[in-house]
Amino acid sequence: MKIIKSTKELQSIRRSISTKVGFVPTMGALHEGHISLIKEAKKQNDIVFVSIFINPKQFSINEDFSSYPIKKEADIKICALAKVDYLFMPEISSIYSQNEVLIKSPNQSYILEGFSRPDHFNGVLQVVLKLFGLIQARNSYFGKKDAQQLFLIQKMVKNFFINTQIIACETLRQNDGLAISSRNTYLLPQEKKEASLISKSLYCASRIISKNEFDVNIIKNEMLNILKNLNVEYIEFVNKNFQKITKVELKNTIILIVVKFKTVRLLDNIWV
Ligand code: PAF
């Protein structure tokens, strides 16, 4: 595996590759979820690039960019073991310059995850567009767990005619159903047990829907019943265009949930 730090070197290496390239963008602190994206990319491409870049532009002022976990050595080992071909780890100064052209994300960026973090998705799209330009991958891999991010990236790719196919990968789960996330490591033992109720509530919703109950309020109440002792920030039902809905549309609905623990905010969703 070759580690690349400079954008010039990356571009020169990329020009020399004519076979199928897959790309997995990350902010590091890699876990099984990322490894599953890399495995998928390895299966479907000849050469795999992974980027590790903690993007300052996607953190709001009240979020602590400086305390985001950095696990450089462990991440390099994980990528090498997963047989990544190129690991791109740029400095902030090689990605951003003064007075840049900015991406402005669409309306769907200011609800749900974007509601209290209005610049978050602008920052995500800005960096992902740059990475797409640098790596020019045939296939780019994103997790369904960050459903709103996935939707916006798919929209950007369509709107800007970017020549990469977005591959949406299933959320990886622990045996108890908890979606794998770097944030899980911050949970206290009791919180870990409680957190498994999040996926249980989503599975319950899916069972209710399979019995032809499509009323969002009724389904939401059943979910809230399972989560009654937890601090639910939101449960929302959206269609695949990220518009809020009141009736479930089969094969066109995502149920999104965020639960807050003392220090951690856990996201999950299910596509029905
Ligand atoms: O999902 C992430 O890890 C980040 O938002 C991404 C896509 C790597 C952009 O910084």
Side-chain angles (χ1 to χ4, degrees):
M1 180 178 80
K2 180 164 176 52
I3 298 176
I4 310 172
K5 297 240 154 118
S6 98
T7 51
K8 277 225 166 72
E9 188 187 6
L10 176 78
Q11 284 175 306
S12 141
I13 289 175
R14 181 62 190 92
R15 272 191 296 274
S16 70
I17 300 171
S18 53
T19 49
K20 208 200 280 183
V21 167
F23 172 43
V24 182
T26 81
M27 296 210 297
L30 303 179
H31 52 65
E32 289 101 316
H34 297 110
I35 297 171
S36 75
L37 300 184
I38 297 172
K39 279 190 182 150
E40 206 52 36
K42 287 290 295 177
K43 265 192 247 155
Q44 298 176 353
N45 303 277
D46 303 309
I47 299 285
V48 170
F49 282 73
V50 170
S51 65
I52 295 183
F53 179 65
I54 305 176
N55 173 31
K57 303 270 182 206
Q58 68 189 75
F59 290 80
S60 313
I61 302 163
N62 56 346
E63 291 172 320
D64 203 357
F65 161 67
S66 53
S67 70
Y68 194 86
I70 301 176
K71 301 197 171 155
K72 258 189 201 162
E73 296 313 313
D75 288 346
I76 292 173
K77 272 194 198 135
I78 289 173
C79 287
L81 274 174
K83 299 200 163 41
V84 167
D85 298 282
Y86 295 101
L87 177 57
F88 180 45
M89 302 175 84
E91 297 296 330
I92 294 175
S93 58
S94 59
I95 291 293
Y96 289 112
S97 54
Q98 294 286 316
N99 204 16
E100 295 202 331
V101 172
L102 298 175
I103 287 269
K104 167 95 174 65
S105 55
N107 291 345
Q108 292 99 330
S109 308
Y110 303 98
I111 56 168
L112 304 164
E113 287 310 287
F115 180 71
S116 50
R117 311 158 83 191
D119 289 329
H120 171 66
F121 287 118
N122 286 335
V124 170
L125 296 181
Q126 185 82 9
V127 81
V128 171
L129 183 63
K130 284 168 183 270
L131 293 168
F132 282 167
L134 284 164
I135 291 165
Q136 311 212 349
R138 173 91 64 90
N139 298 308
S140 300
Y141 295 78
F142 292 86
K144 281 185 169 180
K145 184 165 159 297
D146 293 309
Q148 197 175 1
Q149 165 172 288
L150 173 65
F151 164 77
L152 291 165
I153 290 170
Q154 279 167 328
K155 197 169 165 73
M156 177 177 75
V157 162
K158 192 164 175 237
N159 292 165
F160 288 86
F161 308 104
I162 298 167
N163 203 5
T164 190
Q165 196 186 335
I166 301 300
I167 312 285
C169 299
E170 292 304 325
T171 301
L172 215 70
R173 297 182 181 280
Q174 295 182 176
N175 288 341
D176 64 359
L178 179 64
I180 288 178
S181 157
S182 40
R183 292 167 175 170
N184 296 353
T185 54
Y186 299 123
L187 293 169
L188 303 170
Q190 178 58 24
E191 292 176 329
K192 257 185 201 150
K193 276 190 205 148
E194 292 167 349
S196 68
L197 293 173
I198 300 172
S199 59
K200 288 201 174 69
S201 74
L202 290 168
Y203 295 142
C204 165
S206 157
R207 268 195 312 278
I208 298 172
I209 293 164
S210 70
K211 291 178 187 150
N212 292 336
E213 175 60 71
F214 299 133
D215 187 299
V216 163
N217 280 331
I218 292 176
I219 304 165
K220 207 168 167 175
N221 281 337
E222 292 294 329
M223 292 175 74
L224 285 169
N225 201 22
I226 293 177
L227 300 163
K228 58 179 178 286
N229 296 323
L230 301 188
N231 183 4
V232 178
E233 185 179 306
Y234 66 72
I235 296 177
E236 290 292 353
F237 288 58
V238 297
N239 61 22
K240 287 196 181 150
N241 205 22
F242 260 82
Q243 291 153 331
K244 292 189 186 178
I245 51 174
T246 53
K247 287 261 173 260
V248 169
E249 303 156 21
L250 286 181
K251 296 206 184 318
N252 187 30
T253 297
I254 310 172
I255 309 173
L256 304 137
I257 178 165
V258 171
V259 172
K260 273 164 90 172
F261 292 88
K262 240 185 240 114
T263 52
V264 198
R265 208 173 153 267
L266 295 185
L267 276 80
D268 203 350
N269 62 63
I270 197 167
W271 304 43
V272 290

